[in-house]
């Protein structure tokens, strides 16, 4: 709360949207609701500018749907694949018609490093490095090469398969590790670190106009 109030006092904000992968703090909700002209908490009941065909929308992460909305907004009328490289790596598909079909979830880079360390007896905890060999020559480089190159092959594989189904598909790469993988992928992609924020703003504008 100490971080939020100075922002609300400094800027003449009228509208706002709150999104969290956890339950948002009640004091934040109350502060925003009382100070903003229009305030929205993103959940599965919020109207979206895309059609969602996910079978369990109540379990769909806000970051995933926001990224999908952002990609559809930035590339309207195009099939888009969104790769979000963070704690988890998610792959989302939005068709040119504006239909969000769903996506896949796999462990992110840091999660894979930690899992190898925590669930094996002798493997050390390592971190990503700028230079990664194609084949490891020590246990540390073997883990780094296995994790990083495995993710690259995974991403390239998704892009390859999606381009067979959607030949003109536009690929967004976002998330905390987006720039780390951008230069390692063989396929042409567009790195958009703020894609989720773009999507949240689009969702907010869409709902404000519907009032």
């Amino acid at each position: 709360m100490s971080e939020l109030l100075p922002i609300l006092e400094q800027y003449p904000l009228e509208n706002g949207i709150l999104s969290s992968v956890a339950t948002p703090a009640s004091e934040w909700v109350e502060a925003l609701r009382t100070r903003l002209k229009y305030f929205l908490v993103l959940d599965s009941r919020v109207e979206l500018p895309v059609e969602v065909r996910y079978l369990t929308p109540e379990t769909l992460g806000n970051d995933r749907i926001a990224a999908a909305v952002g990609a559809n907004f930035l590339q309207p009328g195009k099939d888009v694949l969104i790769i979000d490289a963070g704690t988890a790596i998610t792959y989302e598909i939005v068709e040119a018609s504006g239909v969000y079909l769903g996506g896949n979830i796999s462990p992110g880079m840091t999660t894979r490093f930690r899992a190898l360390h925590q669930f094996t007896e002798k493997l050390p905890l390592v971190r990503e490095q700028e230079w990664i060999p194609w084949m490891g020559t020590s246990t540390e480089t073997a883990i780094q090469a296995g994790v990083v190159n495995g993710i690259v092959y995974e991403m390239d594989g998704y892009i390859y398969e999606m381009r067979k189904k959607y030949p003109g598909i536009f690929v967004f790469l976002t998330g905390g590790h987006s720039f780390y993988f951008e230069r390692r992928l063989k396929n042409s992609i567009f790195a958009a670190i703020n894609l989720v924020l773009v999507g949240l703003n689009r969702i907010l504008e869409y709902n404000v106009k519907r009032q």
Side-chain angles (χ1 to χ4, degrees), residues 64 71 73 96 99 150 167 169:
R64 295 177 63 194
F73 173 71
V99 174
I169 198 167

Side-chain angles (χ1 to χ4, degrees), residues 3 7-8 35 38 58 75 83 97 102 104 136-137 156 159 166 174 176 186 193 199 204:
E3 300 91 349
I7 295 175
L8 294 175
R35 287 171 171 81
Y38 182 84
E58 69 280 0
Q75 291 294 325
I83 304 175
S97 60
N104 295 342
T137 54
D156 274 328
I159 296 170
Y166 304 99
T174 191
K186 294 179 181 179
I193 190 69
L204 176 61

Side-chain angles (χ1 to χ4, degrees), residues 5-47:
L5 292 180
I7 295 175
L8 294 175
E9 293 171 357
Q10 183 178 357
Y11 298 99
L13 303 175
E14 292 187 2
N15 306 316
I17 183 170
L18 176 61
S19 174
S20 175
V21 294
T23 303
S26 58
E27 58 268 26
W28 278 60
V29 174
E30 183 60 26
L32 291 167
R33 197 181 303 279
T34 56
R35 287 171 171 81
L36 297 176
K37 180 179 178 180
Y38 182 84
F39 173 61
L40 183 66
V41 178
L42 182 59
D43 59 27
S44 61
R45 297 166 294 181
V46 170
E47 294 291 333

Side-chain angles (χ1 to χ4, degrees), residues 19-22 42-46 48 50-69 90-94 100-105 203:
S19 174
S20 175
V21 294
L42 182 59
D43 59 27
S44 61
R45 297 166 294 181
V46 170
L48 300 171
V50 297
E51 178 186 345
V52 177
R53 292 188 182 173
Y54 207 68
L55 296 181
T56 56
E58 69 280 0
T59 68
L60 179 60
N62 290 340
D63 53 341
R64 295 177 63 194
I65 192 59
V69 170
T90 59
Y91 302 86
E92 319 293 347
I93 291 289
V94 183
Y100 169 70
L101 297 180
N104 295 342
I105 304 173
I203 294 169

Side-chain angles (χ1 to χ4, degrees), residues 3-207:
E3 300 91 349
L4 176 62
L5 292 180
I7 295 175
L8 294 175
E9 293 171 357
Q10 183 178 357
Y11 298 99
L13 303 175
E14 292 187 2
N15 306 316
I17 183 170
L18 176 61
S19 174
S20 175
V21 294
T23 303
S26 58
E27 58 268 26
W28 278 60
V29 174
E30 183 60 26
L32 291 167
R33 197 181 303 279
T34 56
R35 287 171 171 81
L36 297 176
K37 180 179 178 180
Y38 182 84
F39 173 61
L40 183 66
V41 178
L42 182 59
D43 59 27
S44 61
R45 297 166 294 181
V46 170
E47 294 291 333
L48 300 171
V50 297
E51 178 186 345
V52 177
R53 292 188 182 173
Y54 207 68
L55 296 181
T56 56
E58 69 280 0
T59 68
L60 179 60
N62 290 340
D63 53 341
R64 295 177 63 194
I65 192 59
V69 170
N72 177 256
F73 173 71
L74 293 176
Q75 291 294 325
K78 289 187 178 181
D79 300 311
V80 291
L81 167 64
I82 306 103
I83 304 175
D84 191 335
T87 305
I89 300 173
T90 59
Y91 302 86
E92 319 293 347
I93 291 289
V94 183
E95 291 187 329
S97 60
V99 174
Y100 169 70
L101 297 180
N104 295 342
I105 304 173
S106 70
M109 178 167 57
T110 302
T111 303
R112 298 185 196 206
F113 283 139
R114 289 176 178 171
L116 286 173
H117 174 63
Q118 292 177 5
F119 296 107
T120 60
E121 186 174 345
K122 295 184 178 181
L123 292 182
L125 177 62
V126 302
R127 305 184 187 281
E128 69 271 17
Q129 301 293 329
E130 182 59 31
W131 180 81
I132 298 295
W134 173 74
M135 186 69 66
T137 54
S138 66
T139 299
E140 181 172 334
T141 57
I143 295 172
Q144 290 169 339
V147 168
V148 173
N149 293 333
I151 291 174
V152 170
Y153 300 151
E154 175 182 302
M155 290 180 177
D156 274 328
Y158 271 103
I159 296 170
Y160 176 77
E161 291 299 324
M162 289 301 101
R163 282 188 172 150
K164 287 198 299 184
K165 183 174 179 61
Y166 304 99
I169 198 167
F170 192 95
V171 182
F172 283 98
L173 179 63
T174 191
H177 284 126
S178 56
F179 293 115
Y180 183 81
F181 287 105
E182 177 189 14
R183 57 189 177 275
R184 290 176 162 82
L185 295 173
K186 294 179 181 179
N187 289 279
S188 176
I189 53 93
F190 179 77
I193 190 69
N194 294 320
L195 189 61
V196 170
L197 296 179
V198 171
L200 290 174
N201 188 63
R202 172 66 182 126
I203 294 169
L204 176 61
E205 290 179 338
Y206 180 77
N207 280 271

